Amino acid sequence: MFTKLSIVRSRAFTGVSNATPTHITKAIPQLCQYRAITIPKPDHELVDKRQAPDDFCLNSAVVFKDIISEEDGASLVEDIFLRMKRRRYERDHWDSVITGYKEVELSHPHDMMTASNIPSYENITFTDYNGTLSEKSMQAISFIRNVLQVHFFSSNVSSLKWLPCHAIDLKKDGVLSAHVDSVKFSGDIVAGLSLKSSSIMRLKPDKDFYQSEMQGHVDLLLPPLSLYVLSGVGRYKYTHELLSSGETFSSSETQDAVKVTRDHRYSVIFRDAKDNT
Ligand code: OGA
Ligand code: MN
């Protein structure tokens, strides 16, 4: 476990589509040859870009609202709860970017398989797989991977492989401070499904990357069942962190301001494998 944690969280923590909240229907050429499935589009009202630095590319931090159903979310929450309940919260490691949390790997039969070996999304069944996630949770993970593939890997799908997902349980008073995810094993996107509680994620220019201190930030509102995706500059040149409870999110689209209470939260993190792994 320690090795896995250090892959995800080590100091190596150094470290794209547009539209309204509608859905589009699009065929997935490699995964769904015979039928079209509905692929959601990002929701711009969940992004506050008013303080964004000039070089920030808006496609590099997007949020999809209600990416899965409440029923699928409840299934994942139950599966994660069962796998977390005997673990203790980690805290106060001297250089940790995260405290007050637990983490487990959620193994899935298609982890690390190339997309061409995975059956068409519509035909996926998991009845023969002896893993510990429920069928519904595995379907939900497959669906999210499909959405990510369509939006972010359409031109280089043949080499795409998914690292096993990680579930993170963050206490109400847990802290996730600014970091860039490891670039050692993890590839071009980092995505997270939020469950149980809303939160605000803030992206800031990474001081290790920009010579002069650059001001500004971009905020993402992450309601339960939403999926955020960081790619490009949002993945490599900006840090991400979760704000503490009680901060306000203002949408740059609608101008609405909401105070966001962050409670006990689960997340499921999706990462593609680096090309050479
Ligand atoms: C991480 C991370 C955010 C989240 O684990 O590296 O940034 O949504 N997590 O839990
Ligand atoms: Mn991270």
Side-chain angles (χ1 to χ4, degrees):
M1 194 58 205
F2 178 75
T3 333
K4 277 172 195 144
L5 278 179
S6 59
I7 289 170
V8 183
R9 322 221 155 278
S10 68
R11 270 228 170 253
F13 264 73
T14 60
V16 205
S17 29
N18 282 324
T20 44
T22 52
H23 286 60
I24 49 162
T25 300
K26 184 167 171 177
I28 305 175
Q30 287 77 9
L31 287 185
C32 188
Q33 288 165 353
Y34 307 111
R35 281 162 68 189
I37 65 162
T38 301
I39 296 293
K41 299 186 92 183
D43 294 275
H44 294 298
E45 80 271 25
L46 299 179
V47 180
D48 179 6
K49 56 182 188 212
R50 288 170 305 174
Q51 323 263 342
D54 288 344
D55 81 327
F56 190 77
C57 168
L58 279 174
N59 291 333
S60 75
V62 296
V63 186
F64 297 82
K65 193 157 73 185
D66 294 328
I67 187 81
I68 56 170
S69 66
E70 275 188 31
E71 210 183 328
D72 288 353
S75 166
L76 277 162
V77 166
E78 173 69 11
D79 279 335
I80 294 168
F81 170 76
L82 292 173
R83 308 178 117 235
M84 292 283 187
K85 70 180 180 190
R86 281 194 200 84
R87 290 170 185 264
R88 278 190 303 188
Y89 284 100
E90 318 260 342
R91 58 165 56 249
D92 301 341
H93 200 260
W94 65 275
D95 72 340
S96 46
V97 294
I98 179 167
T99 61
Y101 77 104
K102 307 188 222 183
E103 184 169 38
V104 289
E105 196 171 278
L106 302 179
S107 68
H108 183 285
H110 302 152
D111 293 337
M112 296 306 283
M113 279 171 67
T114 50
S116 52
N117 294 328
I118 299 175
S120 139
Y121 177 71
E122 293 283 295
N123 298 327
I124 290 176
T125 52
F126 295 102
T127 39
D128 297 335
Y129 179 64
N130 237 352
T132 48
L133 288 180
S134 65
E135 171 116 22
K136 207 182 262 303
S137 296
M138 287 189 283
Q139 289 282 6
I141 287 174
S142 291
F143 175 72
I144 291 173
R145 286 176 170 175
N146 264 278
V147 172
L148 292 168
Q149 179 184 318
V150 169
H151 278 284
F152 300 92
F153 297 97
S154 53
S155 59
N156 55 348
V157 75
S158 57
S159 58
L160 172 62
K161 289 187 224 154
W162 293 103
L163 294 173
C165 288
H166 278 244
I168 297 168
D169 168 328
L170 189 66
K171 283 166 81 171
K172 184 178 167 71
D173 60 357
V175 175
L176 180 80
S177 46
H179 66 278
V180 174
D181 279 23
S182 166
V183 294
K184 216 166 165 188
F185 302 99
S186 165
D188 287 341
I189 65 146
V190 172
L193 170 71
S194 297
L195 296 166
K196 283 166 72 76
S197 170
S198 293
S199 58
I200 302 172
M201 177 170 272
R202 176 160 292 176
L203 275 70
K204 292 187 308 210
D206 182 8
K207 291 193 185 66
D208 291 342
F209 191 85
Y210 294 94
Q211 265 84 9
S212 60
E213 195 131 318
M214 191 151 73
Q215 298 301 311
H217 61 260
V218 174
D219 285 349
L220 310 178
L221 177 60
L222 308 178
L225 305 176
S226 68
L227 180 79
Y228 64 84
V229 190
L230 310 179
S231 61
V233 288
R235 154 78 176 99
Y236 291 112
K237 299 186 187 171
Y238 278 64
T239 60
H240 55 277
E241 65 197 283
L242 289 183
L243 301 187
S244 48
S245 193
E247 296 284 343
T248 298
F249 174 85
S250 303
S251 169
S252 38
E253 292 274 302
T254 63
Q255 314 295 322
D256 291 343
V258 277
K259 188 172 160 189
V260 179
T261 306
R262 205 192 85 204
D263 213 316
H264 179 209
R265 172 179 186 270
Y266 285 169
S267 55
V268 179
I269 309 298
F270 293 79
R271 298 185 172 98
D272 59 306
K274 234 179 143 160
D275 250 357
N276 52 9
T277 51

